Amino acid sequence: MAVTITPKDVHDIDIAGLTIAIFVTFTRLGIRIRNRKLGWDDFWAAFSIIGAILLMTGVLIILDPKPSMTQLTLVAGYYITSEGFYTIVWTSRLSILCTIIRISPPGSLRRILYGVGALFGVMWTFLAMQEIVICEREPGWKEAIPTQCHLGKSVAISQLTTDIIADLCLLIAPLRMFWNSMLPTGHRVRLNIVFSTCALTTVVSLVHAYWIFANLGLNEIFTGIFETTISMIVASLNVIVGLLYHAFANMKESSTMPSERTAGATGIELHSRGVATGPIAVDITTTTYTDAEIGVFKVPEAHQGEYEGYDKKQEVMEFRGY
C-alpha cells in the first residue's frame, strides 16, 4: 500500500526541513569564520544554501499557485524546484569531497580526488540537462495543476546510478585515508562515522527513485526535499562534531588537570630572548587539537657564542591546521 502524501506534508517539510538545513549550514560557516579556516568545502556548503532557497521557493509556487500567476511563472517554479534539488545534492557532495581533499596528504590520492570532483561536476550537469530535455519533449504537464513534469524511468535510473557512484566515492576515500594515517584512533573513528553518514542520502535516494518510477508527484517532491535536507546536514556534520569533540576534550582536560591549564592558550608558543650571559628561556602552553594539524617550526639561526647583541624580538611558532 502506497504512502499518501498530502500537499500540507510537502509544505511542512519544505519549510521546516530546509530551514533546519540552512541553520546547520550557517552554524558550520560561523564556526569556520571564527576559526579563520574557510576553504573550498565551505564555499560549496554556502552554495547549497542558494539551492535550498531556490527549492523552497519553487515548491511553494507549485503547491500554492496564485490566480495572478501565469503559466510561465508556474513552469519556472517547477524548473527552479528541479535545479534547486540538484544544486543542493551535488554541492553538498562537493563540500564533503573538498573536506577530504584538504586533510589528505599530497600525492596520488589527492589527484584521484580532484578527478572525482570533476566527475561530480559532469554528473551534476548531465542530470540537470537530462531533466530539461525530457520535460520539454512532452510539454503537456505545463497546463496541469500542480505543475510537475513526469520524469519517467530514465531519470530515476540516472539519479540512482549517479547517487550510488558518488556516495561510494565519498565512503571509500576517507576509510582508506584515515585508517592508514597517523591520526589518533579516536579521531579516525569519529571522522569515519561522520563520513559514513553519507549512506543516509543513498537510502533516501533509493526511496526517491522509487517514487519517480511510480510516478507519484507529491511523494516524489516530499522525498526529494528530505534527501536535500539530509545532504546539507551531513555536509556540515563534520565541522559541528569537531567543535563538540574539541569542547568535550577541553572540559575533560579542565576537570583532570586544572593546574596545567593556561587561560587563552591557542597553540604552542616558543619564545626566544637573546641574553648576554644567560640561557634561552622557553615558555610552552599546550592545547588539544581535533583535526590534522600542520605547522611550520621557525627558530632563529644563532650559533654558539653569538647570543650577545641578539635582537630581543619575540619569536612565536604556531600550528595552524584544518
Side-chain angles (χ1 to χ4, degrees):
M1 180 178 178
V3 178
T4 302
I5 300 295
T6 65
K8 184 179 183 302
D9 295 330
V10 178
H11 178 274
D12 291 344
I13 194 173
D14 182 51
I15 299 297
L18 291 177
T19 299
I20 293 173
I22 291 173
F23 173 78
V24 171
T25 305
F26 271 122
T27 301
R28 171 241 178 86
L29 295 174
I31 294 171
R32 283 292 176 84
I33 292 173
R34 186 193 66 178
N35 295 336
R36 297 181 180 179
K37 296 178 181 178
L38 286 172
W40 280 104
D41 52 342
D42 303 298
F43 167 79
W44 290 115
F47 205 128
S48 69
I49 295 176
I50 299 175
I53 295 173
L54 291 176
L55 179 58
M56 185 183 297
T57 303
V59 169
L60 293 178
I61 292 175
I62 293 174
L63 291 180
D64 188 22
K66 305 301 180 183
S68 59
M69 292 182 179
T70 63
Q71 184 186 70
L72 180 61
T73 302
L74 298 179
V75 172
Y78 173 78
Y79 280 126
I80 289 173
T81 301
S82 172
E83 299 309 315
F85 168 79
Y86 288 124
T87 298
I88 296 173
V89 170
W90 290 101
T91 53
S92 297
R93 285 173 177 152
L94 285 168
S95 177
I96 296 173
L97 181 66
C98 288
T99 299
I100 300 174
I101 290 174
R102 74 186 291 178
I103 62 178
S104 66
S108 59
L109 177 59
R110 181 171 290 189
R111 289 192 294 270
I112 292 173
L113 293 175
Y114 284 137
V116 172
L119 178 62
F120 281 11
V122 171
M123 291 190 290
W124 178 7
T125 303
F126 169 77
L127 291 173
M129 296 304 298
Q130 181 191 37
E131 183 161 344
I132 294 174
V133 170
I134 289 177
C135 290
E136 289 302 317
R137 284 179 180 173
E138 300 179 3
W141 60 272
K142 296 180 180 180
E143 300 177 359
I145 298 295
T147 306
Q148 184 178 2
C149 176
H150 303 302
L151 300 177
K153 295 182 179 180
S154 60
V155 172
I157 293 173
S158 297
Q159 285 191 14
L160 186 58
T161 302
T162 54
D163 287 345
I164 292 175
I165 293 174
D167 292 339
L168 281 177
C169 290
L170 295 177
L171 285 170
I172 294 173
L175 285 174
R176 180 181 180 276
M177 181 177 64
F178 295 144
W179 287 113
N180 293 332
S181 70
M182 298 300 293
L183 291 175
T185 301
H187 296 181
R188 294 201 304 268
V189 172
R190 176 175 61 88
L191 291 173
N192 279 315
I193 290 174
V194 171
F195 285 117
S196 296
T197 52
C198 296
L200 289 175
T201 59
T202 303
V203 174
V204 178
S205 66
L206 289 172
V207 179
H208 186 212
Y210 169 77
W211 292 126
I212 295 177
F213 271 115
N215 195 23
L216 294 177
L218 289 179
N219 296 53
E220 177 188 335
I221 297 175
F222 184 91
T223 52
I225 296 172
F226 189 70
E227 180 180 352
T228 55
T229 300
I230 295 297
S231 297
M232 290 183 68
I233 293 175
V234 166
S236 297
L237 198 58
N238 179 54
V239 177
I240 295 175
V241 170
L243 176 68
L244 297 176
Y245 186 88
H246 185 70
F248 177 78
N250 286 342
M251 290 175 58
K252 185 177 180 181
E253 180 183 359
S254 64
S255 62
T256 56
M257 297 181 298
S259 61
E260 299 180 8
R261 187 178 71 255
T262 301
T266 59
I268 301 177
E269 296 185 352
L270 178 62
H271 308 277
S272 61
R273 297 179 176 87
V275 182
T277 59
I280 297 176
V282 179
D283 298 328
I284 299 178
T285 59
T286 62
T287 187
T288 302
Y289 290 87
T290 60
D291 294 317
E293 300 295 327
I294 300 175
V296 179
F297 187 83
K298 293 187 62 178
V299 178
E301 294 182 358
H303 300 284
Q304 186 175 2
E306 295 181 0
Y307 292 110
E308 185 174 0
Y310 180 73
D311 186 4
K312 296 183 179 181
K313 180 180 178 182
Q314 187 182 60
E315 298 288 342
V316 178
M317 180 272 290
E318 294 184 358
F319 286 97
R320 296 185 182 274
Y322 294 118

